[in-house]
Amino acid sequence: MNYFQVYQQELHSIYKQIRSLQFALGSLVEEEFWIKFLWRIKRYCFDVASTPLSFSHLSNLFFENQHKTMRYCRTIYPHFVADVEAIYNTLFSIFMIKENPIFITIQSLLQNDNHTAILIKEPRLVNYVNDFFVSQNNSAHIEVMPPAKLKGTIFYEKIICIGPTRWFPRYIFSAARSRKIDVIQYAWMTDVFKSQPLLVGTISPSRIEDNDEDHFTSDPRYINISNSVQTITPSESNMDPPDEDMVHLLTKKTPLNASVKSYDDTVDAQLFILADRTAVFLEASDTTKVLVLDVGSSYEDSYTSEQTLITRVPVKLLRTGIFVLLRTGESGDYIITIADQILGVRASHLRYLQEDWKDKLRRHVQRSDLFQVSIALLDHGSLLAQESNVRNWMSSRTIRPQKDSDFKAIMRLIGYESQFDKYQNAANEIRNAHRQAGKMIRQMLLNQVHSIDYHQLHTHGRFDFVLPDVPDMTLSAFRINQCISTISRVTATRIGQVFNLEHELWRE
């Protein structure tokens, strides 16, 4: 591997200013205003530091919000006005710079090479970079792609990675798809890469004791666009993607420790950051499963539908890189939509019965609390009336308790013991319809697997399925980019609803 370090004075300055402001803010840094302000700046800096895009990229975003931000800062945080103004001044200086040193470096590396892959960490930026190379008349023999596209067996004469090696999966370097790998990053970014062969048998005796880590700063080649080069302390600035700040704000808005007296239709949920700058809350229970699109580990144009599977996986087993199937367009649970079609004219009455006993149970909890209701249910013969289970039974996301003994205990508590058979039959009919709906959707998806555009799927991390037998319903496969371990309590209606991360961040 060849390592190339570049430097840009104004960009380096703004990162030092951000660090200085964060230190001065202390605990205030976790307040919503500062999370949003810093995230916006960090997001822009990451975009230009992880791509060859010009520095004027997305600059309008800041001109539109500068006056509102400064007015709020002067009113609420007057002691930090000078710091914010300094950051804006540096930012506007960056916007005026015409050339990104990363682009200049790439140009110098492309002179004698054909069939070059340029790896961009964020799939959302791939199209921007492609368009940029076309605008520069420099798109011949270049393929801009996210790391996921290198999972197959396609080889390139050269691979150029923009950013430190820790941004990319290890297979990019340990099972390389090229004999030449160039890594370009800014000089103040830290990185350590330890080369490890995939197979033990590939280690030669002469290398067994050669375990030193190769630091990114070894034998660097500097390309300086500034008039002055200064000594860089690698750890003084962090240019990693700023999504952690945004996730912190989202989970802060929906904390786990909600008021114990809040018994609305809420559930424990886990947040998943998806491709295409989207996210979704999925119910965090041991029994909840979701449909996933298993496209295997390879990426090739010859990929066949027989290798693609549609299966149900427990939410607790979801991992980064898995494609999860979610409803887009119209809101609502796609299983419920299909199940109601199966139930036909009986759907409305059966749903009424389902909601009726749940509403009675919620009222009991509201009159006392979860603990007291749990004890009462145990006294009535329930076996699994823990507080968490009672919450699940009240939720519109569940149909009925798994065990008849628990369902009978609820009926006794709410005074419906004599009507147990009626409510049990209604719940069982709904459950059977849900199972049929799941099978139908899976089959409809399998029938369309042949239409999957694998280039789009791996490049953008999303593919939309239109189900012809279900008008006005679209299912989309989203790649999971990050699994957030924090558990939040959210309203049941938010479960499975895909939302735009940035819209949610700025939502009041």
Side-chain angles (χ1 to χ4, degrees):
M1 281 194 296
N2 298 314
Y3 303 103
F4 298 85
Q5 290 187 330
V6 297
Y7 182 75
Q8 209 297 313
Q9 183 173 338
E10 286 80 5
L11 190 61
H12 187 204
S13 295
I14 201 167
Y15 269 92
K16 291 191 290 184
Q17 289 173 325
I18 290 172
R19 285 177 60 88
S20 176
L21 175 58
Q22 288 176 317
F23 180 79
L25 286 170
S27 61
L28 293 176
V29 77
E30 294 192 359
E31 295 194 0
E32 186 169 334
F33 170 80
W34 292 112
I35 290 177
K36 290 181 176 181
F37 170 75
L38 291 169
W39 178 83
R40 194 189 292 272
I41 306 297
K42 290 179 182 179
R43 164 73 179 277
Y44 167 79
C45 292
F46 171 79
D47 285 0
V48 296
S50 63
T51 68
L53 295 170
S54 66
F55 290 131
S56 60
H57 175 66
L58 296 180
S59 60
N60 290 337
L61 185 69
F62 297 94
F63 290 109
E64 293 172 359
N65 292 277
Q66 180 194 9
H67 297 300
K68 181 179 178 180
T69 300
M70 290 306 307
R71 184 168 61 251
Y72 189 90
C73 187
R74 290 190 184 97
T75 303
I76 308 299
Y77 305 104
H79 296 300
F80 299 103
V81 169
D83 299 276
V84 174
E85 285 181 337
I87 288 175
Y88 273 125
N89 290 336
T90 305
L91 201 59
F92 296 147
S93 298
I94 293 174
F95 295 160
M96 303 303 293
I97 299 171
K98 295 183 178 180
E99 294 179 317
N100 186 329
I102 291 177
F103 178 64
I104 296 175
T105 308
I106 290 175
Q107 283 185 309
S108 70
L109 297 174
L110 291 177
Q111 293 176 357
N112 300 314
D113 290 293
N114 295 322
H115 201 204
T116 297
I118 298 179
L119 291 194
I120 306 296
K121 175 176 172 55
E122 288 287 337
R124 63 183 172 83
L125 297 172
V126 168
N127 280 350
Y128 289 110
V129 177
N130 263 323
D131 293 344
F132 178 74
F133 275 111
V134 170
S135 69
Q136 301 295 315
N137 298 317
N138 200 1
S139 58
H141 311 299
I142 295 174
E143 196 171 346
V144 182
M145 64 185 67
K149 192 173 177 181
L150 280 184
K151 284 187 176 181
T153 57
I154 300 176
F155 281 78
Y156 298 85
E157 290 191 25
K158 174 179 285 189
I159 295 175
I160 299 177
C161 299
I162 302 179
T165 58
R166 58 187 166 81
W167 282 2
F168 300 93
R170 178 161 291 275
Y171 64 77
I172 299 295
F173 310 101
S174 58
R177 275 68 174 175
S178 173
R179 288 196 174 97
K180 298 178 182 178
I181 299 180
D182 293 333
V183 181
I184 307 172
Q185 70 168 57
Y186 279 89
W188 57 86
M189 300 168 73
T190 58
D191 194 32
V192 175
F193 174 72
K194 186 173 183 179
S195 179
Q196 296 178 339
L198 284 181
L199 302 176
V200 175
T202 62
I203 304 176
S204 63
S206 62
R207 293 191 58 194
I208 291 178
E209 297 181 358
D210 184 16
N211 293 322
D212 292 337
E213 293 181 339
D214 295 324
H215 288 263
F216 208 91
T217 52
S218 62
D219 192 22
R221 291 181 238 180
Y222 288 92
I223 298 179
N224 179 36
I225 309 300
S226 173
N227 291 328
S228 60
V229 181
Q230 58 196 75
T231 303
I232 305 299
T233 303
S235 61
E236 69 184 21
S237 296
N238 176 20
M239 301 184 78
D240 287 352
D243 285 344
E244 286 295 334
D245 299 332
M246 182 164 48
V247 167
H248 174 74
L249 180 58
L250 285 174
T251 53
K252 187 177 179 181
K253 284 184 175 181
T254 52
L256 172 63
N257 298 320
S259 171
V260 294
K261 284 293 183 181
S262 177
Y263 301 118
D264 295 331
D265 195 2
T266 59
V267 295
D268 287 344
Q270 186 176 356
L271 180 65
F272 293 88
I273 308 300
L274 309 174
D276 204 25
R277 305 304 298 164
T278 57
V280 67
F281 282 104
L282 298 177
E283 187 172 355
S285 72
D286 291 338
T287 58
T288 304
K289 294 183 178 181
V290 291
L291 282 175
V292 300
L293 182 69
D294 181 4
V295 295
S297 60
S298 65
Y299 174 90
E300 294 183 66
D301 293 337
S302 60
Y303 204 81
T304 63
S305 61
E306 286 75 15
Q307 296 171 281
T308 301
L309 301 175
I310 307 291
T311 186
R312 296 185 69 82
V313 172
V315 169
K316 63 182 180 181
L317 296 183
L318 293 178
R319 297 291 183 268
T320 300
I322 289 176
F323 287 87
V324 61
L325 285 156
L326 301 165
R327 184 170 182 176
T328 49
E330 294 289 331
S331 61
D333 189 319
Y334 56 82
I335 294 290
I336 293 177
T337 300
I338 305 296
D340 283 351
Q341 291 182 9
I342 295 171
L343 293 170
V345 294
R346 290 180 50 75
S348 178
H349 176 65
L350 294 172
R351 295 293 183 189
Y352 168 79
L353 293 177
Q354 180 188 26
E355 184 59 27
D356 181 38
W357 71 261
K358 288 177 178 288
D359 183 60
K360 296 292 192 301
L361 180 59
R362 293 187 198 111
R363 292 183 184 182
H364 272 273
V365 173
Q366 289 170 348
R367 285 195 292 267
S368 54
D369 57 40
L370 274 173
F371 178 73
Q372 295 297 329
V373 170
S374 297
I375 296 298
L377 288 172
L378 291 171
D379 290 340
H380 283 299
S382 173
L383 299 177
L384 300 173
Q386 298 98 328
E387 292 181 45
S388 59
N389 284 338
V390 176
R391 276 193 180 276
N392 287 334
W393 297 338
M394 290 190 299
S395 172
S396 60
R397 299 284 303 175
T398 59
I399 297 173
R400 51 154 291 177
Q402 292 288 336
K403 294 185 176 294
D404 287 348
S405 58
D406 296 318
F407 201 12
K408 287 180 180 178
I410 293 174
M411 294 293 108
R412 293 189 185 107
L413 178 68
I414 65 177
Y416 281 7
E417 183 176 8
S418 63
Q419 303 181 69
F420 171 73
D421 289 341
K422 180 176 74 171
Y423 282 86
Q424 177 178 244
N425 291 337
N428 289 343
E429 193 171 345
I430 291 173
R431 185 165 60 184
N432 290 337
H434 277 234
R435 289 173 176 169
Q436 290 181 51
K439 292 177 181 178
M440 286 177 58
I441 290 173
R442 181 177 180 274
Q443 188 57 53
M444 284 187 283
L445 290 170
L446 285 173
N447 291 340
Q448 293 198 41
V449 160
H450 68 278
S451 68
I452 293 177
D453 183 336
Y454 288 98
H455 175 77
Q456 177 182 333
L457 184 67
H458 286 276
T459 300
H460 303 290
R462 172 177 178 172
F463 184 77
D464 298 326
F465 294 90
V466 178
L467 306 181
D469 298 330
V470 189
D472 303 323
M473 192 172 87
T474 302
L475 289 181
S476 300
F478 290 90
R479 184 180 55 240
I480 297 176
N481 286 345
Q482 189 178 1
C483 306
I484 307 303
S485 59
T486 304
I487 302 299
S488 303
R489 286 209 67 81
V490 303
T491 57
T493 54
R494 293 202 66 188
I495 297 297
Q497 299 301 309
V498 179
F499 60 89
N500 183 284
L501 273 173
E502 294 171 39
H503 292 170
E504 184 72 12
L505 183 64
W506 307 116
R507 181 174 62 87
E508 296 298 336

